Amino acid sequence: MKQILTILFFFAFLFSFAQTNPNHVYVSGYYRSNGTYVQPHYRTAPNNTNRDNFSTRGNTNPYTGQAGYITRDSNTSSTYTPSSYSNSTSTYPNSTYKTTSTSTSNNSYNSTNIYTTTSSYGQLWRTPSQFDAIRPIQKGSSVNVIEYDNGFYKVISKGTIGYINSITINENSKMKALKIGAKDYSNTKGDKATINEIFDIEVSKIYALPTKYISAREANLRLGPTTITNTLTTIKRNDKIRIIDNSTYNSWTKIIVEADDGFYIGFLNNSLISAYKIENQEQTDGPTSVVKSFLKHLDQEEFYSAYSLTNNPSWNKNGGFSWFSSTDAYGGIDYVTIYEVRLENAYDDQAVVFADYYSSDPLHTSRRWKQILILEYQYGKWKIVKTKLAE
């Protein structure tokens, strides 16, 4: 009997040291003063002891599976105040942004783990809306479902808490049960957000972000850092944008741009962004003038003059002017009709020009061509360095 009591006491003692605070607080993602972004996460509600914290030794974070590492304090009593933290605004004195938790579901964290996979390619969002993507989610990715919120499931994906649109996730019976009692919102939001729906911060904080400009004639702002995601809006050349993050998404940059009635947050390919406005006449007209001159020289069979406007490595490798002027290349052209030449993009010392023209080549193919010509600014002159079909 004494041995049994000893064992029971041991387990009771162990349980008292391994129990975590049952009241959890959602912390929205935010930026520290040094620019580092802190992912959205859950923590235990504050009290007068750290013994029940996720990060304390002997405890485990139920959202990430990470074991605690902080030494326990000597306090044993705990007073929970969950009501003061439910759906509250979290302010961080040392951060750039003050963010507001946007979770609106009546369902709290479900301690029963619900695992499923994604049914298609999608995005992990910071809020239950398509305003701000954390990262892409591949088809078949495993996630731990927390709750349902107005068409989105809050999930844990590789240690990151976010939202997945219900149409891109495989629902099971347990997940459908989460919808029962969830608050229904009849006013669905579009892809455009007002400033308060994006960040609960002063507008001046956004205006303090680093600024750059659109270098392309038109640029598509996308929901995620890939061309397969939807287009939020189209931005014109020289429109001012503000940089949120240009170091996390490889060849993409997360930006915020002001619209007439709010702001957009999305992603732009780096090739569409310039550090300055394109105001130099040589910068805007130079590349198109070179392409027009190139085609006019071909029309007049002035092949040397046309070749002098180029510095194409593949043409140089094939034999330079001898190959270029031969009937195997451009030498067979006897006239050209130009329909359109327009500048598609210009940034730093490169430019992209679209050309629509008809060329007559009796020895080969007489047809209408639609081409993309890549130019570089070399030693004070624009040179055609590459051509490819536009369609």
Side-chain angles (χ1 to χ4, degrees):
M1 184 66 180
K2 183 177 180 180
Q3 185 177 11
I4 294 175
L5 290 174
T6 302
I7 294 174
L8 290 176
F9 176 79
F10 171 77
F11 278 107
F13 178 80
L14 182 64
F15 179 76
S16 67
F17 276 84
Q19 186 177 17
T20 60
N21 187 334
N23 296 291
H24 302 170
V25 177
Y26 177 78
V27 179
S28 300
Y30 64 95
Y31 286 87
R32 293 194 177 101
S33 58
N34 62 3
T36 302
Y37 182 75
V38 178
Q39 296 284 355
H41 60 278
Y42 279 92
R43 61 179 174 83
T44 56
N47 53 32
N48 61 356
T49 179
N50 75 351
R51 301 168 78 86
D52 55 6
N53 293 354
F54 295 156
S55 57
T56 301
R57 289 178 183 173
N59 297 335
T60 301
N61 189 318
Y63 300 94
T64 65
Q66 183 178 2
Y69 57 91
I70 296 175
T71 302
R72 295 174 179 274
D73 59 30
S74 58
N75 296 333
T76 57
S77 62
S78 58
T79 303
Y80 305 134
T81 55
S83 59
S84 63
Y85 292 93
S86 178
N87 291 331
S88 64
T89 300
S90 300
T91 304
Y92 304 91
N94 296 326
S95 65
T96 303
Y97 300 142
K98 181 181 75 174
T99 59
T100 301
S101 173
T102 55
S103 176
T104 52
S105 172
N106 286 339
N107 294 327
S108 59
Y109 172 71
N110 191 328
S111 60
T112 302
N113 288 329
I114 302 175
Y115 293 95
T116 187
T117 57
T118 51
S119 59
S120 62
Y121 186 95
Q123 294 285 336
L124 184 66
W125 305 97
R126 298 195 192 284
T127 62
S129 59
Q130 297 186 145
F131 290 156
D132 193 6
I134 298 175
R135 56 177 166 79
I137 292 288
Q138 301 294 330
K139 180 180 179 180
S141 299
S142 297
V143 294
N144 184 2
V145 180
I146 301 175
E147 65 184 21
Y148 176 80
D149 193 346
N150 195 30
F152 290 78
Y153 282 101
K154 181 185 285 188
V155 303
I156 304 172
S157 172
K158 297 181 180 178
T160 300
I161 297 175
Y163 294 84
I164 296 180
N165 195 307
S166 60
I167 65 174
T168 62
I169 195 169
N170 290 314
E171 288 186 311
N172 54 39
S173 58
K174 291 184 178 180
M175 292 168 60
K176 293 177 181 179
L178 290 176
K179 294 182 179 180
I180 300 176
K183 188 173 182 180
D184 183 24
Y185 288 84
S186 57
N187 296 325
T188 57
K189 299 176 181 178
D191 289 331
K192 186 181 294 183
T194 64
I195 181 61
N196 289 331
E197 289 172 323
I198 297 174
F199 292 128
D200 181 21
I201 63 173
E202 297 177 4
V203 176
S204 60
K205 295 293 182 66
I206 290 182
Y207 290 158
L209 293 172
T211 60
K212 290 194 177 182
Y213 301 91
I214 298 300
S215 60
R217 186 170 59 91
E218 289 186 345
N220 290 329
L221 181 67
R222 297 189 177 275
L223 285 173
T226 170
T227 56
I228 69 172
T229 59
N230 292 339
T231 299
L232 283 170
T233 188
T234 300
I235 313 174
K236 305 295 184 181
R237 172 178 289 128
N238 286 338
D239 281 355
K240 182 182 291 185
I241 61 175
R242 301 181 189 277
I243 307 301
I244 296 176
D245 185 1
N246 61 359
S247 61
T248 309
Y249 306 96
N250 296 325
S251 60
W252 293 77
T253 294
K254 181 190 288 186
I255 66 108
I256 184 169
V257 61
E258 186 173 5
D260 293 337
D261 55 352
F263 290 75
Y264 287 98
I265 284 182
F267 295 85
L268 285 174
N269 191 282
N270 293 344
S271 64
L272 307 175
I273 300 173
S274 174
Y276 53 85
K277 284 187 176 180
I278 300 177
E279 298 174 341
N280 189 318
Q281 195 70 13
E282 171 64 18
Q283 185 78 1
T284 56
D285 292 344
T288 57
S289 297
V290 168
V291 173
K292 289 178 180 178
S293 296
F294 176 77
L295 296 175
K296 288 178 180 178
H297 287 317
L298 294 180
D299 174 59
Q300 298 170 6
E301 300 183 56
E302 298 172 349
F303 300 116
Y304 183 80
S305 296
Y307 182 75
S308 67
L309 299 175
T310 73
N311 189 16
N312 189 324
S314 63
W315 294 351
N316 297 338
K317 185 177 180 180
N318 282 338
F321 176 69
S322 297
W323 171 84
F324 180 87
S325 59
S326 70
T327 55
D328 291 333
Y330 289 87
I333 296 176
D334 57 10
Y335 74 85
V336 173
T337 300
I338 301 175
Y339 295 104
E340 181 183 16
V341 175
R342 68 171 185 262
L343 182 67
E344 289 291 313
N345 199 354
Y347 50 95
D348 297 334
D349 58 351
Q350 291 190 335
V352 180
V353 175
F354 169 81
D356 179 3
Y357 65 95
Y358 177 88
S359 69
S360 172
D361 187 345
L363 297 178
H364 295 96
T365 302
S366 298
R367 57 165 286 188
R368 185 169 179 171
W369 299 87
K370 293 184 179 181
Q371 287 185 318
I372 296 294
L373 296 93
I374 313 298
L375 294 89
E376 289 185 358
Y377 199 66
Q378 302 176 349
Y379 304 104
K381 295 182 179 180
W382 286 102
K383 295 284 187 178
I384 300 171
V385 297
K386 186 176 180 181
T387 63
K388 61 181 182 179
L389 291 177
E391 58 179 34

